[in-house]
Amino acid sequence: MRDESSQLVRLSTRDVAPADRLGYASWILGSALAPSALSTGTPSEYELDVTALELPSIAIVAQSGSPQRAIRARPEIRRTSQRYFFLVLALSGSWHVTNVTRTRLGPGDLVFYDSRYPLDCDLLLHWGGLNLQLSEQFVRKWVPNPIVLGGQRIGESQWGRVLASYV
């Protein structure tokens, strides 16, 4: 996904055999966002749809899928060549996210996290979300110390609700 042409890319596990879906989904997430270890209770029924657009300093990734757990631990963090920050808007489903702090998300909630820290994202139901992958340089223009936002649910403050509606 990371080429200079900035074209819209659509990928889906529905395009591969059921036995290969979880592996393909791991490849999709590693290509579109950051490497993650995926698991699900029903691998042969697993679904993930991703639409992504990469622009300078930001990638916009719309995702939806079936229940899953995505973990970024030390092995996945070591495979990430650059530091990124992510601003994620939950569109549907029930999310349990741990990155610095543990947070529960529902539709309309935002969370901000840092690729340098472990992430555990447990998506309990069919879900949808919008993920903005932000370069470190872009974030530091606006937030000198971004770790203060790490793992935090942003939607409860007035500016957070405005930001969520904008995203």
Side-chain angles (χ1 to χ4, degrees):
M1 184 193 81
R2 294 181 169 91
D3 64 8
E4 296 301 318
S5 62
S6 292
Q7 51 188 307
L8 197 61
V9 176
R10 289 187 175 93
L11 299 169
S12 175
T13 57
R14 297 170 199 195
D15 299 334
V16 299
D20 298 328
R21 288 181 177 180
L22 201 56
Y24 185 59
S26 291
W27 175 82
I28 289 172
L29 293 178
S31 299
L33 295 168
S36 298
L38 290 181
S39 63
T40 183
T42 54
S44 64
E45 298 172 19
Y46 180 78
E47 293 180 356
L48 176 68
D49 294 300
V50 173
T51 302
L53 176 65
E54 186 169 18
L55 304 168
S57 299
I58 185 170
I60 303 163
V61 183
Q63 303 168 243
S64 63
S66 57
Q68 71 175 28
R69 187 166 186 195
I71 296 175
R72 280 184 47 78
R74 288 197 197 305
E76 293 80 23
I77 293 168
R78 280 194 296 268
R79 290 191 344 241
T80 305
S81 59
Q82 291 183 313
R83 182 181 190 185
Y84 291 102
F85 293 94
F86 298 90
L87 183 62
V88 180
L89 173 63
L91 297 173
S92 62
S94 177
W95 304 40
H96 292 186
V97 178
T98 303
N99 177 258
V100 182
T101 62
R102 182 152 176 82
T103 306
R104 289 187 65 162
L105 303 176
D109 289 335
L110 279 171
V111 67
F112 182 85
Y113 71 90
D114 184 338
S115 67
R116 290 192 325 175
Y117 292 92
L119 173 72
D120 184 342
C121 186
D122 198 3
L123 304 165
L124 306 173
L125 306 168
H126 277 78
W127 58 277
L130 185 61
N131 194 322
L132 303 179
Q133 179 181 342
L134 311 168
S135 71
E136 182 175 10
Q137 297 78 16
F138 179 84
V139 171
R140 288 195 181 275
K141 286 180 186 177
W142 306 100
V143 183
N145 186 14
I147 194 58
V148 299
L149 297 174
Q152 304 247 358
R153 188 169 145 214
I154 297 174
E156 294 178 352
S157 67
Q158 183 175 3
W159 72 268
R161 287 188 296 275
V162 170
L163 181 60
S165 68
Y166 179 74
V167 171

